[in-house]
Amino acid sequence: MKPSIPVIAIDGPSASGKGTVAQAVAKALGFHFLDSGSLYRLVALAALNSGSPWSDEKALAELASKLDVKFRDGLIILNNQDVTESIRSEACGEGASRVGAVPGVRDALLQRQRAFRQPPGLVADGRDMGTVVFADAPLKIYLTAGVETRAERRHKQLKQKGIAATLPLLLRDLQERDLRDMSRAAAPLKPSPDAHLLDTTAMSAEAATEQVLTWYRGLREK
Ligand code: C5P
């Protein structure tokens, strides 16, 4: 732990827009950015590639502890292969939610995530940033939006990438993933008691970013 280096922890359910907001906040402050979901997606991809079933917790924890990953110039390299785009697939998102329920996987990824805490500061995006990984973060946000709005946002994103998806299926997948993330025993998705709640159902990403920056500036003035 490096308590003197500030962390802004942003947690919330899938497709709530927290990635967009977290990146914009990091850019505005010149802070580092951790997309912790990408680590779970990488473990899922490694499991799919090696044929390890989701039920084999020991094999999944082993994959997580041996993950050969490099974050370089905005690219994500796994075993010397560029997987920046492939980990964004719905299959990796679904797999991430399965491997994320395995305590051994979470333990194996803990130090890797904490190593992102470097000067001048870090914006960390995930499900347990404020509750577990950076429990001492001076600013915690729980960012959410109604499930229909989230499904529509994900639909628009996929369409822009030329990926076919239907709204009812996306809605069902999001609901299933939220339920799994919120009900698991290991680090379930829930707001930290000291988190600011931010509902972006009727709010643009720019307005949400501004709100987080206002909270952060308010903290520094105290
Ligand atoms: O944020 P993203 O959609 O990329 O995360 C994919 C999945 O990884 C989530 O549904 C969740 O199950 C898992 N995850 C997690 N803890 C985190 C970040 C992501 O369990 N800190």
Side-chain angles (χ1 to χ4, degrees):
M1 282 282 198
K2 298 166 190 158
S4 54
I5 302 170
V7 176
I8 301 178
I10 305 187
D11 291 305
S14 303
S16 55
K18 60 191 161 44
T20 309
V21 172
Q23 282 186 72
V25 170
K27 196 165 171 221
L29 296 172
F31 278 15
H32 298 280
F33 169 62
L34 166 63
D35 165 17
S36 62
S38 69
L39 291 170
Y40 291 89
R41 287 171 181 267
L42 283 161
V43 177
L45 182 63
L48 289 167
N49 287 346
S50 70
S52 301
W54 304 131
S55 56
D56 191 344
E57 298 199 358
K58 210 170 149 226
L60 295 175
E62 177 93 1
L63 282 174
S65 67
K66 299 218 167 115
L67 213 55
D68 175 14
V69 61
K70 287 177 198 85
F71 294 85
R72 202 188 298 141
D73 305 328
L75 296 180
I76 304 179
I77 315 289
L78 179 68
N79 300 326
N80 295 320
Q81 276 198 333
D82 179 1
V83 296
T84 320
E85 280 302 315
S86 53
I87 60 160
R88 297 292 148 204
S89 69
E90 288 302 291
C92 282
E94 152 87 13
S97 161
R98 290 180 183 277
V99 302
V102 177
V105 169
R106 305 201 75 84
D107 288 347
L109 297 181
L110 202 55
Q111 289 315 323
R112 228 182 250 267
Q113 295 172 84
R114 289 185 175 151
F116 279 78
R117 189 173 196 167
Q118 296 293 339
L122 174 70
V123 182
D125 152 9
R127 302 294 186 293
D128 61 342
M129 299 297 96
T131 49
V132 178
V133 183
F134 303 106
D136 66 333
L139 181 61
K140 301 177 186 178
I141 318 286
Y142 190 82
L143 198 148
T144 185
V147 71
E148 275 90 9
T149 306
R150 292 190 282 124
E152 278 161 20
R153 286 179 186 165
R154 176 62 51 88
H155 191 230
K156 207 170 133 196
Q157 247 178 18
L158 291 173
K159 242 172 98 180
Q160 277 168 354
K161 285 190 193 166
I163 301 170
T166 69
L167 203 51
L169 269 184
L170 281 175
L171 188 65
R172 198 201 58 194
D173 288 352
L174 274 183
Q175 281 166 326
E176 277 179 14
R177 188 147 18 130
D178 288 351
L179 185 68
R180 198 178 308 126
D181 289 350
M182 288 171 177
S183 58
R184 67 182 177 217
L189 169 64
K190 62 173 180 201
S192 179
D194 50 351
H196 291 272
L197 299 185
L198 187 55
D199 186 332
T200 66
T201 307
M203 200 186 241
S204 67
E206 291 76 23
T209 302
E210 204 40 55
Q211 175 63 76
V212 176
L213 289 170
T214 302
W215 279 326
Y216 185 66
R217 289 184 196 117
L219 200 76
R220 293 182 64 199
E221 279 158 19
K222 269 186 197 165

